[in-house]
Amino acid sequence: DVLAPDERSRSFDEYLDRFHAAEKTGRALPHALETMLRPYQSEGVRWMNALADMSLGGILADEMGLGKSVQLIAFLATRLEESRATAPSLIVCPASLVYNWTAEIERFAPDMKACAVAGTKQERNRARSRTDVDVFVTSYDLLRIDIKEYTQRAFFCCALDEAQYVKNHGTLTARAVKRVKARHRFALTGTPVENRLSEIWSIFDFLMPGLFGSYMRFKERFELDIVGGNEEAAQRLKSLIGPFMLRRLKADVLRELPDKLESRVLVPMTRKQEKLYYAFEQHLRESLAEQRRSRKNTDARRGANVEVLAELMRLRRLCCDPRLVFDDYAECGAKVEAIADLVASAHNDCQKTLVFSQFTDFLSLIAEKLASLGIAFYTITGSTGQKQRMQLVDAFNADDTPVFLVSLKAGGTGLNLTGASVVIHADPWWNAAAQNQATDRAHRIGQTRPVSVHRIIAKNTIEERIVALQQAKTELADKVIGASDDAQAPLSEKDLLELLER
């Protein structure tokens, strides 16, 4: 537990004094970075250096769009001589961001040599064998595959970008990351808690193993009480992680950032679509009610929940466009028409638009509609190569192509799309944080125009209830990290069934 001041030993107080002194002193930044960094970013670099001086790790949890990557690059630049005298550093990130990181390092710290460890096994082995590299960059998947090779050496610093990728401590990826040996460890994530408190334990288990003890101990001391509404337990955890997590919000540090104007666009379904939707929903509701009455064991309940999610997904796809569910359906769905109208209006106003959807085939239907209207667009999905993504992003920000269609999971993080000032979310996702991260591709440093965000919701459908569920599940992260975050508890059986109530 966090100790009161009169319970602390003298050595503990001295340790804290050294930490705060190191935080204030800081280290010299390269001149180019010193003039480029904003005051809060310089503060972030000092904070990271103070932790490193005390052999501690931390989570840089700034809100999306505040430049966490440049702060890490600046930290590594201040330690470059030290790193070159010991070992290179390692950045682990989602596969789609590997080349984005090498480009950012080249841009902000050209004296620091970065190398992407990607491609075939032979190419990865060749990259890792290089001796002229200051920072290696690889993906979570490739690190897991190559973990044997990574554990055969030590790194100066190991940093996890989008650290929520290791939020589930039982996965092979999380276990692999925690086997990497490094003198310093940092995690970057705008959403340190997305679904449950075990995620914060998992990230700290990478940063400073043993800080919270075992997961079962953490669960007993904090998680069960906090989920149960114990405010005192939430405050204890917040106080304990406070020195090791730095979080700033755009509203607090970027006064000059243009406004973000959000609206919910309720779209009535066509009459034919409406009949199909209500018939499907009623059938699903009756089927679920029957399952609930007949279920008698845990395995059956688990299987039923999986089945519920699958059927709910079909229902959500029907909200987007019946052509996603029925092969013989020919009419254009109401949402496609509404999205096309918003895109055309923005285009006429000389504004560029990002359109996000979790369904790539829905993006294809939107693309068909835009093509029929003569509106040009780019597209990024999970099948888009890493290098091609960067080329498309650079082209979109530079040319006059008015629309970028982006799958939510493929492009929701790591991309700078400030060329757009209109964001359209074609369908609501279970976790509002994922959508907010996607919005921040446009509403971030470098944006000069107010950003209009439109969330397209099929009227009188399950989509409206999903949005209400999002709003009802945003309190957990606020209790722990001290800043509003669209966290969402895992959907329970009760939640799933309630989504189908009128």
Side-chain angles (χ1 to χ4, degrees):
D1 294 348
V2 177
L3 299 177
D6 58 347
E7 296 176 297
R8 293 175 181 156
S9 69
R10 179 176 300 177
S11 61
F12 183 74
D13 281 330
E14 291 173 351
Y15 190 81
L16 287 180
D17 289 341
R18 291 200 305 275
F19 171 75
H20 292 305
E23 190 174 19
K24 292 177 181 177
T25 303
R27 288 173 176 246
L29 282 166
H31 178 70
L33 275 170
E34 188 175 19
T35 58
M36 187 183 305
L37 294 183
R38 294 165 181 262
Y40 75 87
Q41 292 174 329
S42 296
E43 177 190 348
V45 177
R46 287 193 297 272
W47 174 79
M48 296 174 79
N49 271 308
L51 287 174
D53 286 340
M54 303 302 293
S55 299
L56 300 170
I59 303 176
L60 184 57
D62 287 343
E63 188 179 11
M64 290 290 173
L66 290 181
K68 291 186 289 294
S69 58
V70 72
Q71 292 177 68
L72 176 63
I73 292 169
F75 163 75
L76 294 175
T78 64
R79 301 267 180 166
L80 189 54
E81 289 187 14
E82 186 181 350
S83 170
R84 285 176 174 171
T86 52
S89 294
L90 175 67
I91 295 174
V92 189
C93 63
S96 61
L97 303 183
V98 169
Y99 291 102
N100 184 68
W101 266 102
T102 57
E104 291 285 276
I105 292 171
E106 182 179 351
R107 174 188 173 193
F108 292 113
D111 292 338
M112 195 157 57
K113 184 68 175 177
C115 175
V117 184
T120 65
K121 186 171 184 62
Q122 185 178 17
E123 290 170 333
R124 300 197 303 274
N125 288 337
R126 190 161 54 244
R128 278 193 302 269
S129 67
R130 290 179 53 176
T131 58
D132 62 334
V133 174
D134 297 309
V135 183
F136 290 101
V137 184
T138 196
S139 69
Y140 286 101
D141 289 340
L142 291 178
L143 178 85
R144 174 176 50 80
I145 294 170
D146 298 340
I147 188 57
K148 183 177 179 181
E149 287 78 8
Y150 281 104
T151 55
Q152 292 174 359
R153 65 188 303 178
F155 293 92
F156 176 73
C157 176
C158 180
L160 307 185
D161 185 27
E162 303 296 345
Q164 66 272 17
Y165 271 65
V166 299
K167 64 185 180 182
N168 186 342
H169 59 272
T171 63
L172 293 176
T173 297
R175 292 175 182 175
V177 163
K178 294 170 186 181
R179 291 177 60 191
V180 175
K181 296 185 286 287
R183 179 179 298 186
H184 306 295
R185 294 171 180 254
F186 287 97
L188 278 59
T189 173
T191 53
V193 179
E194 282 190 313
N195 297 306
R196 48 181 69 84
L197 285 176
S198 60
E199 297 167 6
I200 202 77
W201 179 88
S202 185
I203 295 175
F204 272 103
D205 190 46
F206 160 76
L207 295 171
M208 293 178 285
L211 178 66
F212 293 122
S214 68
Y215 171 61
M216 290 307 298
R217 176 63 173 151
F218 174 82
K219 186 175 182 179
E220 292 170 359
R221 292 181 66 200
F222 298 108
E223 187 172 16
L224 292 176
D225 286 341
I226 293 172
V227 171
N230 187 321
E231 295 292 338
E232 189 271 335
Q235 187 57 46
R236 278 193 293 118
L237 179 58
K238 183 176 177 180
S239 299
L240 184 59
I241 67 177
F244 312 112
M245 182 161 64
L246 184 62
R247 179 169 178 81
R248 281 80 57 91
L249 303 180
K250 284 185 290 190
D252 297 329
V253 298
L254 284 186
R255 304 289 183 182
E256 75 279 17
L257 194 66
D259 290 339
K260 180 170 64 175
L261 311 172
E262 302 194 54
S263 66
R264 188 180 304 172
V265 181
L266 291 176
V267 179
M269 293 182 287
T270 64
R271 182 166 296 183
K272 185 176 179 181
Q273 181 181 7
E274 193 174 61
K275 287 181 178 179
L276 285 171
Y277 172 84
Y278 287 131
F280 191 93
E281 185 185 55
Q282 183 59 31
H283 171 74
L284 178 56
R285 187 182 296 109
E286 291 171 357
S287 175
L288 291 173
E290 177 62 29
Q291 287 177 10
R292 184 167 55 175
R293 286 192 294 269
S294 62
R295 263 182 271 143
K296 295 180 180 179
N297 60 66
T298 303
D299 289 339
R301 283 198 297 273
R302 276 198 206 99
N305 263 3
V306 172
E307 189 176 328
V308 169
L309 283 172
E311 292 302 303
L312 284 177
M313 188 65 75
R314 290 191 70 200
L315 196 61
R316 294 182 58 225
R317 287 169 63 80
L318 185 54
C319 291
C320 292
D321 197 294
R323 290 175 291 176
L324 301 179
V325 179
F326 302 105
D327 293 336
D328 58 349
Y329 196 93
E331 297 178 12
C332 183
K335 273 197 178 189
V336 172
E337 297 287 355
I339 291 168
D341 288 344
L342 287 170
V343 167
S345 177
H347 185 35
N348 292 336
D349 197 28
C350 299
Q351 296 190 72
K352 293 187 172 191
T353 303
L354 306 180
V355 181
F356 289 99
S357 174
Q358 70 160 312
F359 304 118
T360 55
D361 47 359
F362 188 31
L363 290 177
S364 297
L365 295 181
I366 297 170
E368 288 178 11
K369 181 65 176 181
L370 296 180
S372 72
L373 298 174
I375 299 176
F377 56 87
Y378 293 126
T379 304
I380 282 182
T381 66
S383 62
T384 308
Q386 299 173 30
K387 291 184 178 179
Q388 187 184 3
R389 292 181 193 214
M390 297 310 303
Q391 293 169 352
L392 290 172
V393 168
D394 291 342
F396 178 76
N397 287 329
D399 65 22
D400 58 358
T401 302
V403 184
F404 212 140
L405 306 177
V406 189
S407 69
L408 188 63
K409 289 188 177 180
T413 58
L415 302 180
N416 186 335
L417 292 166
T418 51
S421 55
V422 176
V423 177
I424 296 174
H425 291 289
D427 42 87
W429 180 229
W430 304 119
N431 193 341
Q435 288 186 297
N436 288 339
Q437 290 174 19
T439 296
D440 287 336
R441 300 311 99 215
H443 192 243
R444 60 193 297 117
I445 296 172
Q447 181 58 261
T448 60
R449 306 179 68 164
V451 175
S452 299
V453 183
H454 305 291
R455 302 181 188 274
I456 312 299
I457 309 296
K459 189 176 181 181
N460 296 326
T461 70
I462 193 173
E463 290 192 336
E464 286 192 271
R465 299 192 284 280
I466 289 173
V467 172
L469 183 62
Q470 288 175 345
Q471 294 172 342
K473 293 179 174 287
T474 60
E475 297 180 356
L476 181 60
D478 187 42
K479 289 180 179 179
V480 175
I481 68 175
S484 182
D485 205 270
D486 294 291
Q488 173 190 343
L491 292 177
S492 66
E493 178 184 348
K494 181 172 177 288
D495 292 327
L496 297 175
L497 293 172
E498 285 181 352
L499 283 174
L500 293 169
E501 293 180 0
R502 290 187 183 274

